[in-house]
Amino acid sequence: MAEQPSQVAELPPRRVSRRFIVALALIPILAIAAFAAYYAWTYHAQLNRTAEPVQQVAQLELRSVAIDDKTSFMALQDPNDSAWRASQERNFGRLERSGLPEFGWGATGVAPQIGRVSLEPGGALVEVTYQFVVTQPLSGGPTTVTLQVPGFYKPTPSGWVHAMPGADFWGPQRSQSGKHITVSYYQRDADIVEPLIPRMDGLVARLCTPLPCPSQVSVVFENSVSLGRGLFGGTGSDVLLVRAEISLVEVAGHSETSSPHLLALPTDTKSRDELYRAFEIRLAQMAISQAFG
């Protein structure tokens, strides 16, 4: 009797479970979520260790100003930056006593308030809120402005000190051009500067229709302490002072002005409009001055 060929049973193709596919897809998502959670935990742990000592230094600065103790105030400044120290010494108590007269804002006597702390490359940033009175308010405009003056602090072997932010804080340099104006600024200031550009461009267009203005006005928002030029191109003060100065250099349609993060940041819409008005007034003065030589 002939043998029948053995029949090998064919196994059905193995089906991959849908749950297994979903699990594989979730692995990278879960890994990213775990990394994000770890980063957030690390950030908050470091912030908790940093916030209190940094706020204490900021509070000691304000107290030193209140009791007119410049020696104690200078002991809290970066010991390794002579330009920074010279700037801070010259402007000791300026905001609290005079306000920002170059903006048309005077001191109110309201004590500044120390706000939140954020971690930044190389140190930490403290928000200190000031209130100023508008000395010549527009009709229907605000009579006071509320601004945050950012304070950068860095760790040293002897403790935290007030200092000039480093390059990593500012980010890359940017440039935008309109029909009549070219503006250079750092990424850190983008949220403040970029909405101002079309306003400044429109202002130059209106002014330069009847006036012989430069073909293109250049405005540069700087971020370093430089001696020799004072407020609005005057003399006797620094170009850039964390405690609030602005300088425009009136040479061939070129203007240099302080970074908003070295001046003050608006806390609301009305204060932002007043800050923009101050920049626009100075730009108009520069354009008119150049038009008439």
Side-chain angles (χ1 to χ4, degrees), residues 108-159:
T108 60
V110 176
Q113 299 297 315
I114 295 175
R116 70 184 186 93
V117 176
S118 60
L119 298 180
E120 299 292 345
L125 200 69
V126 181
E127 297 174 350
V128 182
T129 302
Y130 286 79
Q131 188 179 86
F132 302 108
V133 60
V134 181
T135 54
Q136 294 182 340
L138 293 176
S139 177
T143 56
T144 61
V145 290
T146 304
L147 305 169
Q148 286 177 346
V149 177
F152 181 80
Y153 296 80
K154 73 176 187 180
T156 69
S158 59

Side-chain angles (χ1 to χ4, degrees), residues 38-75:
Y38 175 76
Y39 177 82
W41 177 84
T42 303
Y43 177 89
H44 284 95
Q46 185 177 355
L47 181 61
N48 289 336
R49 292 193 300 269
T50 299
E52 185 174 353
V54 170
Q55 287 176 325
Q56 287 177 350
V57 174
Q59 189 65 56
L60 286 172
E61 283 185 299
L62 295 179
R63 175 173 171 76
S64 297
V65 170
I67 63 175
D68 198 25
D69 185 356
K70 186 184 288 189
T71 300
S72 296
F73 178 82
M74 292 307 299

Side-chain angles (χ1 to χ4, degrees), residues 70-241:
K70 186 184 288 189
T71 300
S72 296
F73 178 82
M74 292 307 299
L76 302 171
Q77 309 307 309
D78 186 355
N80 300 316
D81 190 337
S82 58
W84 170 262
R85 292 182 64 82
S87 168
Q88 291 293 83
E89 185 171 13
R90 264 186 296 275
N91 288 269
F92 172 70
R94 183 171 183 269
L95 282 186
E96 292 82 356
R97 294 166 189 159
S98 303
L100 291 169
E102 63 274 18
F103 283 82
W105 303 334
T108 60
V110 176
Q113 299 297 315
I114 295 175
R116 70 184 186 93
V117 176
S118 60
L119 298 180
E120 299 292 345
L125 200 69
V126 181
E127 297 174 350
V128 182
T129 302
Y130 286 79
Q131 188 179 86
F132 302 108
V133 60
V134 181
T135 54
Q136 294 182 340
L138 293 176
S139 177
T143 56
T144 61
V145 290
T146 304
L147 305 169
Q148 286 177 346
V149 177
F152 181 80
Y153 296 80
K154 73 176 187 180
T156 69
S158 59
W160 289 86
V161 294
H162 200 167
M164 186 74 180
D168 289 343
F169 172 84
W170 297 104
Q173 196 164 20
R174 306 291 188 192
S175 180
Q176 283 195 30
S177 296
K179 291 182 178 180
H180 306 278
I181 193 170
T182 299
V183 180
S184 298
Y185 57 96
Y186 288 88
Q187 182 60 41
R188 172 68 64 169
D189 292 322
D191 290 346
I192 300 294
V193 172
E194 288 177 355
L196 178 60
I197 295 174
R199 294 176 57 149
M200 297 175 80
D201 196 56
L203 174 65
V204 174
R206 293 192 300 273
L207 287 174
C208 294
T209 298
L211 298 176
C213 296
S215 58
Q216 191 78 2
V217 174
S218 172
V219 177
V220 180
F221 287 86
E222 282 289 356
N223 67 345
S224 61
V225 175
S226 175
L227 301 180
R229 292 192 301 268
L231 302 182
F232 301 125
T235 58
S237 300
D238 299 349
V239 173
L240 303 180
L241 300 174

Side-chain angles (χ1 to χ4, degrees), residues 105 132 134 137-147 199 265-278:
W105 303 334
F132 302 108
V134 181
L138 293 176
S139 177
T143 56
T144 61
V145 290
T146 304
L147 305 169
R199 294 176 57 149
L265 304 175
T267 60
D268 52 50
T269 301
K270 289 183 178 181
S271 298
R272 177 181 288 246
D273 287 342
E274 282 294 313
L275 179 64
Y276 285 175
R277 183 165 74 101

